[in-house]
Structures are given as C-alpha cells and as structure tokens.
Amino acid sequence: MSLLLVRHGQASYGAADYDNLSERGHLQARRLGEWLARGGHRFQAVVVGGMRRHRQTADGVIEAFAAQGLALPEPVADPGFAEFDHEAVFSTWLRENATHPVAIASRSGLPRDVGAMLQAALLAWARDELPGLPESWAAFGARVHSAGERLEALAGDGEALVLSSGGVISRLAQIALDVPDHRAVELNLALRNSALSEFHPHAGRLRLGSWNALPHLHGARELWTYY
C-alpha cells in the first residue's frame, strides 16, 4: 500500500484570505494531476484536510484525471489533516517578541526574513512557550497521529491520496523517522507547494518512502514555491 501525501498548491500568501490558491497554485495542482494520471496512479481513496486550499488542490487533480478520461473517488474531508492555526501561532509569537531582531527583520517581507520568523515561532510553539493558542504542539501532533492511523483502512491494499498542509505532513514524517521536534520544524519549512511525500504502513506504523518530490514540475523551476 502507498499513501501519497501532497502539500497544497501555492496559497495566497500576503493576501487578506490566505486559504485560496493563487494562479500558480492552481497550475501546480493541475500539473500534479496530469503526472499522477500519466504515471498510472489509481487511488482507492482521496482525502482532504477540509480547508479550501486542500479542496482546490484536489479539484485540480480531479480535473486533470477527467481530461484523460479517468475518474477519482469523491474526496473525503478529514479534519485530522487540517493545518494548525498558523495565524494564531505566528501572530502570538510576534506579539510576545515584538522587539526581537527576527520579528523586526520579518517586516521587510523578504522570504529569508519571513522564513526566520516562521522558524522562531514554530520552535517556540514546540517548546510550549506561546500562551493561549487554540491547539498546543502536543495536541496537534496527537491529532495528526490519529489521522495517519485512519489512512490504512481507507487505502486497503491500494493507494490513497491525501491533500493537506506542510505542518501535518511534517509531523507524520517526524513520527515515521522518530526525530525530535526541531527536525519536524525543519521538515515543515522545507516542504514545497504541491510536493509529493510517500508513506507506507509497516508493522503498525508509517514508514517514509520519499519526501518533498516535484516530478510534475520537472523543467519548471519557476513553479517551485514554499509560501
């Protein structure tokens, strides 16, 4: 059995409504679907995390399959695969660390500076240093773990496709690799939009087969995005 987990296509970073694919994100999703269909992938189940960007990514894959005369199962929404409340995590860290050099630098909007802020905030969340969040790091990890356990029953002995977010997929990779929290943060920040990661259930746990692959964007480096 193969479980293919995909980070959603590029969302609307910097816009009032982040939870909406950009034009580039829609293109990433369609190219992903074209590659999966041509490659002979036939999924027994399609799961989305319930967010708009997850469903829009699924829609792009479904459209690409349909264009080749192929059908996919109707996506099933599982809130276990929903992303953590990133706005709460990052805004809380910025409020609590308003004078921190990393917080100040992030106001430039440059990817390098914003990335440093995201890393600092996620590490603080993992250390339980941010008060009043709707979900703790531990609770998020437990939710993701439970969601991962549900996948095996959905896929049977075939393939399942899951459209989710970087935080979710990186926590599943953390469980599979048995690495510490700071490595999960690094995995999260490295995951590209529409990237494929393959997991396999084995001996009661998920094993990581491949990570952060973009075969559908070969030769189109301009479509490689992180935010």
Side-chain angles (χ1 to χ4, degrees), residues 93-180:
W93 187 85
L94 287 169
R95 184 176 65 250
E96 296 290 318
N97 299 273
T99 60
H100 194 290
V102 170
I104 295 170
S106 71
R107 297 169 192 163
S108 71
L110 296 174
R112 179 185 62 186
D113 296 334
V114 173
M117 183 276 290
L118 300 181
Q119 183 175 35
L122 290 171
L123 288 172
W125 181 36
R127 294 191 296 262
D128 202 25
E129 295 175 354
L130 301 179
L133 293 178
E135 189 173 39
S136 70
W137 173 267
F140 175 56
R143 168 164 68 81
V144 169
H145 186 270
S146 295
E149 290 181 330
R150 291 193 290 274
L151 283 180
E152 186 171 354
L154 280 174
D157 59 357
E159 285 188 300
L161 177 67
V162 182
L163 295 310
S164 185
S165 289
V168 172
I169 300 170
S170 62
R171 292 306 295 271
L172 286 172
Q174 178 189 19
I175 295 166
L177 297 171
D178 193 21
V179 296

Side-chain angles (χ1 to χ4, degrees), residues 7-15 17-26 28 53 56-57 86 193 225-227:
R7 186 188 176 202
H8 58 80
Q10 184 187 52
S12 299
Y13 175 72
D17 183 9
Y18 174 79
D19 193 20
N20 194 41
L21 292 192
S22 67
E23 182 177 346
R24 183 176 293 176
H26 284 291
Q28 291 166 341
R53 59 190 183 273
Q56 289 175 334
T57 305
H86 65 278
N193 294 116
T225 58
Y226 294 88
Y227 305 116

Side-chain angles (χ1 to χ4, degrees), residues 9-10 25 40 42 50 60 72 84 96 111 114 158 160 172 200 208 211 219:
Q10 184 187 52
R42 304 294 180 261
L72 283 177
F84 64 89
E96 296 290 318
V114 173
L172 286 172
H200 303 279
L208 185 62
W211 175 254

Side-chain angles (χ1 to χ4, degrees), residues 2 4 36 41-46 61 65 71-73 158-161:
S2 292
L4 294 183
L36 290 170
H41 292 274
R42 304 294 180 261
F43 299 102
Q44 293 192 16
V46 178
V61 173
F65 267 67
L72 283 177
E159 285 188 300
L161 177 67

Side-chain angles (χ1 to χ4, degrees), residues 5-10 24-25 27-29 31-33 35-36 38 57 190-198 210-226:
L5 281 92
V6 175
R7 186 188 176 202
H8 58 80
Q10 184 187 52
R24 183 176 293 176
L27 180 56
Q28 291 166 341
R31 290 189 61 150
L32 171 65
W35 182 87
L36 290 170
R38 288 197 309 269
T57 305
L191 198 59
R192 302 181 182 99
N193 294 116
S194 79
L196 277 163
S197 297
E198 187 175 12
S210 64
W211 175 254
N212 205 17
L214 292 172
H216 53 294
L217 301 183
H218 178 72
R221 191 62 180 264
E222 71 278 5
L223 295 178
W224 292 24
T225 58
Y226 294 88

